[in-house]
Amino acid sequence: MKEFFGWAHSDSSIERQTTARHLLTGKFEAPDSASETWINDSGTLGQTLPPTGEPPLDVQKRKSEVAVVGNVRLDEPGRLSDRIGLRPPLNPSESDALDIKLVHAAYSQWGLSFVEHLQGAFAFVIWNPENCQLIAARDPFGREPLFVHDGAKDTAVASNPNILRRLPTVSEKINETRVADFLMSMHKDKRATFYDEIRRLPPGHLLVTSDSGTTTERYRTLSSSDKVSCTSDDEYAEAYRSHFFQAVRRSIRGGDHLGTCLSGGLDSSSITCATRDLLPSSRSVSTFSLTFDAVPDSDERNFVEAVHQTGEYDAHFVAGDEEGPLDTADELLRALGLPFPTSNLFLSGALYRAARTAGADVVLDGFLGDSVTGHGTTRVTELALRGQWLSAIRELRAAARQLGPSPATYWSLFRQHVSGPLVTEPLGRAWRNFSGKPLGDKAARRVIQPDLLRRLNWEKRARSYGVGQPPPVREQVAHEREVTSWSLGLTAETAVRTGRYFDVSVRFPFADEDLISFCLALPPRQKCRNGWTRVVARKALRNLLPESVACRHGKTSLAPVFARGFLDLNREKLRAVVYDQIDKARTFVRPGAVRRLFHRCVEGEASHHEIRVLWNVVLLTRWIALQSKTM
């Protein structure tokens, strides 16, 4: 878990030794004494060192040899090691060094096709001095971040955009298109960042730079497995349990002091209980949970404590209602270098900070569980579409009984899953298209400079990403689209980078490629049946979880926590941004409209969605202000 970069350059006027050292210095990476660089005639690699200060031996020191730096955690390193013939280390603490050596060995054996043999969480850079190639790759889900600058005379790849910003060849010109997407809450472009000259390497892609130019190609996508051949509910449940435990086992590998972010939901509770089950009783498992005494409707302590009663845990509770998002926004903006899409990142940061204070080096998070396992509710829409009305009505009635039987509940579900997607919403889209009504977020449009969207032809861009198109009415398509959506990937990437800032490795067992492939292949009735969602997971893990958690419907909302922190606890900081600093963002937003929205929010007249619109504007303003001071 380190920051790293690779840099291929042809400009002899740049003093590379000094520049390379500078790239890994600064308040938000390691100090100069805790980094190392490797310089060839036209290639440079660098990385921060682990806390011991000892090099992990993944950079070959001789200029004539292929060199590799990166963050790599392979799913089954033993199998790959056997295929390549590389002896695994006897000391488990050397597992990280083994993984990066396996990347080196795989490249030596298979050339550029080596990425097809890798599976796990990884982002790395290879420099081959023989053919002057810089090679970079990122895992198919994008669990490890990787950013790229591709200029006229150089190409650089790094784990953190702040590293690339220090290159003398990189301009800090703002990417107006990404700003517009952000303000309109459209997170679909897997490449764009807030800088014109810095982009992401998309998940599942391989980048190769040489004297002839730079190419980027997709080498693998997440897809459903063709090996699922279960014939009964019990077989599906057993297969799910096997894949899930395998995912958790892979996630805990290499961790000395393990922790989990335990919210009390089905996913985080499953991960916590599985971790305890997999580890010997002599090893501690720490849990980190948020409490909200001031917002009791969002507090889930009773579910958390039910999990604690299933085994021995070192429980830590973190008050989540004593700070607001603006209390840590500047710190996180400096660390990440970019505005972030997650309004509740201040809560995640509080958990990661507590984990590091408690000595945890690896934290498992249940994020993605809902999406990967799949709620399966589009199954009801699909039943109605196929004319299986009795089955659809039966499912709606069963769901209504779970949520509180009443005619209002039933008709709400009917509108949500049947009449809405099949009738009302298509008619509404047709009318909007016919009448020429603009696409996108109405509340955001009120505060954005109108010429910005026109100048960027934003509506055409939004349509190219599917905005305004009907959602899938078939469960299989809906499930795959949700799992592969970039909004999920971007949120996961942000969490990983935030954890790294707090010196904690944040891992998502539900991002396991084999588990995702299995779940995408599940029949819809294994996800939604008899009023229950995530049916297969509940059945598979029913003996692992406390009954109160296994039988939960839905989850509490953190929107009231965010609104209270943002509008009440941070009122004066918010007012200062809206009245004293908003002109810094005048190119993108209308200050008067922002101030009107501010008053609607603090007076309790705005919806939670409008509060999020205000938050995006405020976060962007603070980022611009910090950028002008050079973060």
Side-chain angles (χ1 to χ4, degrees):
M1 187 180 67
K2 53 185 172 289
E3 302 289 11
F4 64 90
F5 74 90
W7 183 26
H9 39 75
S10 58
D11 189 347
S12 58
S13 67
I14 297 175
E15 208 298 298
R16 286 175 285 130
Q17 183 71 52
T18 302
T19 300
R21 283 199 302 266
H22 174 63
L23 296 182
L24 291 173
T25 62
K27 185 175 180 181
F28 298 99
E29 279 83 39
D32 194 277
S33 60
S35 65
E36 64 173 357
T37 56
W38 182 100
I39 298 178
N40 181 261
D41 291 338
S42 57
T44 303
L45 299 183
Q47 64 184 355
T48 57
L49 298 180
T52 60
E54 294 296 323
L57 304 178
D58 51 0
V59 175
Q60 304 295 326
K61 296 299 182 182
R62 290 189 293 275
K63 292 184 179 181
S64 60
E65 294 187 358
V66 171
V68 188
V69 292
N71 291 308
V72 180
R73 180 169 48 84
L74 300 177
D75 284 345
E76 302 293 342
R79 294 179 191 172
L80 186 58
S81 180
D82 290 342
R83 292 179 63 191
I84 294 175
L86 187 66
R87 183 180 63 83
L90 298 177
N91 186 351
S93 65
E94 298 177 9
S95 60
D96 290 346
L98 168 66
D99 287 3
I100 203 81
K101 288 179 180 178
L102 281 171
V103 170
H104 186 289
Y107 171 68
S108 299
Q109 181 154 329
W110 293 300
L112 293 180
S113 65
F114 76 114
V115 285
E116 299 170 11
H117 301 270
L118 305 180
Q119 182 174 316
F122 55 81
F124 56 81
V125 188
I126 298 174
W127 172 253
N128 186 338
E130 183 177 348
N131 54 18
C132 292
Q133 279 190 338
L134 185 76
I135 301 157
R138 192 177 181 193
D139 68 80
F141 190 87
R143 284 177 278 179
E144 287 292 338
L146 206 56
F147 298 86
V148 179
H149 162 69
D150 191 16
K153 294 184 177 181
D154 67 338
T155 297
V157 183
S159 57
N160 191 323
N162 286 339
I163 296 174
L164 299 179
R165 291 176 58 214
R166 297 192 181 104
L167 282 169
T169 55
V170 174
S171 160
E172 294 200 345
K173 182 182 177 184
I174 292 177
N175 181 345
E176 292 187 339
T177 301
R178 177 63 187 120
V179 170
D181 287 352
F182 177 77
L183 292 173
M184 294 295 286
S185 298
M186 189 180 85
H187 307 293
K188 294 181 179 291
D189 188 336
K190 297 183 179 183
R191 286 179 166 82
T193 75
F194 286 82
Y195 295 102
D196 264 351
E197 296 192 5
I198 298 175
R199 59 181 173 87
R200 285 181 178 81
L201 182 66
H205 279 67
L206 174 73
L207 177 144
V208 180
T209 290
S210 64
D211 292 340
S212 58
T214 299
T215 61
T216 302
E217 295 182 356
R218 185 195 301 272
Y219 66 86
R220 192 160 70 242
T221 58
L222 297 172
S223 59
S224 62
S225 172
D226 57 2
K227 299 178 182 179
V228 179
S229 56
C230 304
T231 58
S232 67
D233 290 349
D234 287 340
E235 287 184 10
Y236 276 113
E238 183 55 38
Y240 181 93
R241 182 183 176 93
S242 175
H243 279 89
F244 174 73
F245 266 79
Q246 175 180 255
V248 176
R249 187 182 298 109
R250 290 168 171 174
S251 298
I252 64 179
R253 172 176 168 260
D256 293 326
H257 183 176
L258 295 168
T260 67
C261 292
L262 175 60
S263 69
L266 184 64
D267 304 317
S268 68
S269 299
S270 299
I271 289 171
T272 299
C273 292
T275 302
R276 179 67 284 169
D277 192 72
L278 287 167
L279 292 178
S281 58
S282 58
R283 288 197 62 182
S284 171
V285 176
S286 297
T287 63
F288 301 92
S289 306
L290 293 165
T291 59
F292 305 105
D293 292 338
V295 192
D297 287 345
S298 296
D299 195 271
E300 299 190 315
R301 200 173 332 195
N302 54 326
F303 295 108
V304 170
E305 290 174 345
V307 172
H308 287 156
Q309 292 174 11
T310 65
E312 292 293 325
Y313 298 99
D314 180 20
H316 299 263
F317 290 95
V318 179
D321 50 12
E322 294 181 354
E323 288 187 335
L326 284 176
D327 291 319
T328 57
D330 284 7
E331 179 184 15
L332 295 175
L333 285 170
R334 289 191 184 98
L336 300 177
L338 304 167
F340 40 88
T342 314
S343 60
N344 291 326
L345 192 62
F346 73 109
L347 298 175
S348 299
L351 290 175
Y352 303 155
R353 190 191 303 271
R356 184 67 270 182
T357 300
D361 59 340
V362 170
V363 173
L364 307 189
D365 196 303
F367 176 63
L368 302 171
D370 289 358
S371 300
V372 170
T373 303
H375 284 95
T377 53
T378 309
R379 176 179 179 241
V380 179
T381 310
E382 189 171 354
L383 288 171
L385 184 67
R386 290 177 175 177
Q388 296 175 262
W389 286 98
L390 289 178
S391 297
I393 290 170
R394 193 179 301 118
E395 288 294 339
L396 290 174
R397 285 176 175 171
R401 283 195 297 271
Q402 300 287 354
L403 297 174
S406 72
T409 301
Y410 175 81
W411 287 112
S412 174
L413 291 171
F414 182 82
R415 286 191 298 271
Q416 182 180 351
H417 299 295
V418 179
S419 65
L422 297 182
V423 181
T424 310
E425 292 170 16
L427 288 174
R429 277 189 297 273
W431 171 249
R432 285 193 296 272
N433 292 336
F434 176 77
S435 60
K437 289 189 176 181
L439 277 180
D441 191 319
K442 293 181 181 178
R445 279 183 174 275
R446 295 189 192 105
V447 298
I448 295 175
Q449 290 287 5
D451 70 303
L452 175 67
L453 300 181
R454 285 196 299 268
R455 180 160 39 85
L456 297 173
N457 201 356
W458 187 85
E459 288 208 22
K460 181 179 180 180
R461 172 179 171 79
R463 291 185 192 280
S464 73
Y465 282 103
V467 175
Q469 297 302 308
V473 292
R474 300 191 182 278
E475 171 55 33
Q476 202 73 25
V477 178
H479 192 184
E480 185 168 338
R481 187 174 296 184
E482 180 177 1
V483 170
T484 57
S485 70
W486 180 232
S487 59
L488 287 182
L490 181 57
T491 300
E493 175 193 280
T494 302
V496 168
R497 297 188 60 219
T498 302
R500 186 166 298 157
Y501 169 66
F502 289 108
D503 201 23
V504 171
S505 176
V506 178
R507 301 177 183 178
F508 303 103
F510 282 104
D512 180 87
E513 194 171 347
D514 288 334
L515 179 58
I516 289 174
S517 294
F518 172 79
C519 289
L520 288 177
L522 286 171
R525 69 187 309 273
Q526 291 297 328
K527 292 175 272 186
C528 177
R529 188 167 76 245
N530 298 329
W532 291 94
T533 61
R534 294 184 282 174
V535 172
V536 67
R538 297 178 195 273
K539 183 176 178 63
L541 305 175
R542 62 186 176 187
N543 295 326
L544 185 72
L545 296 168
E547 184 177 0
S548 61
V549 173
C551 297
R552 284 193 69 176
H553 272 281
K555 60 181 71 174
T556 59
S557 171
L558 294 179
V561 176
F562 172 78
R564 176 179 176 272
F566 185 44
L567 302 178
D568 296 340
L569 299 183
N570 289 158
R571 176 75 60 88
E572 293 310 311
K573 291 181 179 179
L574 174 57
R575 186 185 299 276
V577 174
V578 169
Y579 276 91
D580 302 334
Q581 303 166 27
I582 197 65
D583 280 347
K584 296 180 182 295
R586 180 181 288 274
T587 303
F588 309 110
V589 299
R590 296 187 291 165
V594 173
R595 291 177 184 128
R596 287 192 293 273
L597 178 58
F598 164 73
H599 285 289
R600 278 178 47 78
C601 289
V602 298
E603 291 168 9
E605 299 174 357
S607 65
H608 283 301
H609 174 70
E610 289 176 300
I611 296 171
R612 281 290 305 274
V613 169
L614 179 63
W615 163 251
N616 286 343
V617 171
V618 168
L619 190 68
L620 176 69
T621 303
R622 287 304 307 145
W623 174 71
I624 293 172
L626 291 170
Q627 186 197 38
S628 65
K629 298 177 182 178
T630 307
M631 286 191 272

